């Protein structure tokens, strides 16, 4: 089969490799679409090294068809269309037992410890099959819609941590695909106004298409002044950082109203630090939260929102890539040329 093999930073080779053999309890998936995650970009550029093997096949936002099942697989059948929930939770660590399976201390993931979806076929390990890590895609949902289920699930987790309430004002930093998912989810959750800060022109346009009420270009106008102007001096209830820039954390804390919530949603590069004025948090009684990954329930909710046409997936994605053009797909995400790059791997 054809696969894009990650050999090290900025070194990816698309070539023929052995198609995985499946054994007892395992499933073979024929991959139709895989999307490029910000994490894949950080792996590609060498900024994320934790749990990454070389050589290996990465990619964890993947949908496809079950083409083979091992013995003793229950609940799944050949021919079913499914999406992968990449994180395999241990179910017995303190985090898992406290309902935080997304933050499992022993988590493993497809696309990291196990080969992932940048290949024509992917093997789903037994423990993932047993834990229900394949989500069945309803017939009327296309693969290219379903491929954003996992990142959308992570944003649903983020929305919960941000505690967006009816009529809240939400500021999203960054209008990449993740930022636009936060825009759409905030609206679904009942936010009164959603503002987006983004330096790339075409992405500000996309933010408006995705439902943002106002957009800000922080290279030309002051984020603080604009948020004050939009909120009659009060500030935002919630600020979601959908870009991992440590230098922006203090500014983001500064645009919140009393008791507001700052969500450090995006991952930051290893070794990156932030300088924060602690009195901003102290006197304003701010909540600072982080978000990592998603639970299986978040993934089910994400797919259900897509199936119910609550989320515009078109505005979030850029298609037309293949395994042969995967490096272009990655660099386009890196430079913000398109939105979320989606590879078509089988048709
Ligand atoms: Zn992802
Ligand atoms: Zn665990």
């Amino acid at each position: 089969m054809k696969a894009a093999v990650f050999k090290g930073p900025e070194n990816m080779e698309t070539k023929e490799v052995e198609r995985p053999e499946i054994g007892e309890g395992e499933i073979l998936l024929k991959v139709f679409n895989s999307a490029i995650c910000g994490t894949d970009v950080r792996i590609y550029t060498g900024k994320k090294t934790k749990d990454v093997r070389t050589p290996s096949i990465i990619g964890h936002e993947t949908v496809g068809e079950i083409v083979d099942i091992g013995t003793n697989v229950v609940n799944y059948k050949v021919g079913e269309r499914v999406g992968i929930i990449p994180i395999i939770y241990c179910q017995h660590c303190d985090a898992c037992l406290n309902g935080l399976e997304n933050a499992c201390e022993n988590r493993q993931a497809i696309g990291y410890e196990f080969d992932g979806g940048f290949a024509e076929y992917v093997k789903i390990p037994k423990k993932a099959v047993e834990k229900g890590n394949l989500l069945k895609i309803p017939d009327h949902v296309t693969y290219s819609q379903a491929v954003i289920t996992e990142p959308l699930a992570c944003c649903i987790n983020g929305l919960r941590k941000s505690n967006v309430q009816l009529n809240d004002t939400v500021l999203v930093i960054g209008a990449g695909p993740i930022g636009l998912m936060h825009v759409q989810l905030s609206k679904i959750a009942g936010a009164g106004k959603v503002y987006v800060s983004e330096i790339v022109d075409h992405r500000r346009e996309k933010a408006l298409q995705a439902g943002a009420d106002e957009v800000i270009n922080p290279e030309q106008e002051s984020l603080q002044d604009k948020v004050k102007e939009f909120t009659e001096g009060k500030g935002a209830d919630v600020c979601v950082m959908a870009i991992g820039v440590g230098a922006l954390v203090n500014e983001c804390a500064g645009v919140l109203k009393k008791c507001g919530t700052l969500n450090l949603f995006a991952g930051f590069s290893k070794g990156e630090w932030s300088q924060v004025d602690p009195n901003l948090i102290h006197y304003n009684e701010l909540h600072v939260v982080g978000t990592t990954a998603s639970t299986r329930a978040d993934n089910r909710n994400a797919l259900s929102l897509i199936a119910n046409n609550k989320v515009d997936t078109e505005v979030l994605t850029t298609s037309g890539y293949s395994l042969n053009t995967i490096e272009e797909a990655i660099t386009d995400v890196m430079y913000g040329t398109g939105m979320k790059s989606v590879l078509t791997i089988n048709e």
Side-chain angles (χ1 to χ4, degrees), residues 37 39 60-61 150-151 340:
C37 179
T39 315
H60 59 269
E61 298 177 5
E150 189 269 342
K340 180 175 276 294

Side-chain angles (χ1 to χ4, degrees), residues 89 98-103 152-165 168 170 181-182 185-186 189 238 240 261-263 265 287 289-302 305:
Y89 320 96
N98 282 293
L100 293 170
E101 61 182 34
N102 57 299
L152 186 66
C154 297
C155 295
I156 290 175
N157 181 25
L159 182 85
R160 193 168 53 239
K161 301 283 150 62
S162 306
N163 194 26
V164 174
Q165 300 287 315
D168 271 359
V170 178
M181 288 181 201
H182 282 292
L185 290 173
S186 298
V238 173
V240 181
T261 301
L262 174 63
N263 191 334
F265 182 87
H287 301 262
V289 298
T291 303
T292 180
S294 53
T295 64
R296 287 166 294 179
D298 293 327
N299 280 267
R300 299 174 89 85
N301 282 326
L305 285 173

Side-chain angles (χ1 to χ4, degrees), residues 131-150:
K131 288 177 176 140
N133 280 48
L134 291 178
L135 272 182
K136 293 177 194 177
I137 302 171
D139 289 344
H140 72 281
V141 177
T142 65
Y143 281 125
S144 52
Q145 289 175 303
V147 77
I148 64 139
T149 299
E150 189 269 342

Side-chain angles (χ1 to χ4, degrees), residues 145-272:
Q145 289 175 303
V147 77
I148 64 139
T149 299
E150 189 269 342
L152 186 66
C154 297
C155 295
I156 290 175
N157 181 25
L159 182 85
R160 193 168 53 239
K161 301 283 150 62
S162 306
N163 194 26
V164 174
Q165 300 287 315
L166 193 65
N167 203 34
D168 271 359
T169 297
V170 178
L171 172 67
V172 178
I173 309 294
I178 293 295
L180 300 197
M181 288 181 201
H182 282 292
V183 170
Q184 296 193 44
L185 290 173
S186 298
K187 286 277 168 150
I188 293 169
K193 295 280 185 192
V194 180
Y195 307 124
V196 176
S197 172
E198 167 63 57
I199 56 175
V200 179
D201 294 345
H202 78 91
R203 288 192 157 187
R204 282 198 306 281
E205 278 304 311
K206 290 271 186 182
L208 292 169
Q209 269 178 50
D213 294 280
E214 301 277 358
V215 288
I216 300 161
N217 179 356
E219 279 188 332
Q220 280 171 8
E221 44 204 0
S222 148
L223 181 68
Q224 196 123 16
D225 291 352
K226 289 307 280 185
V227 173
K228 270 198 180 139
E229 178 192 321
F230 295 149
T231 60
E232 291 157 352
K234 291 196 286 282
D237 293 282
V238 173
C239 175
V240 181
M241 293 187 68
I243 49 171
V245 180
L248 294 179
V249 173
N250 196 61
E251 194 178 0
C252 291
V255 301
L256 290 168
K257 68 159 67 159
K258 305 269 178 190
C259 232
T261 301
L262 174 63
N263 191 334
L264 309 187
F265 182 87
F268 296 84
S269 295
K270 197 171 175 225
E272 190 164 350

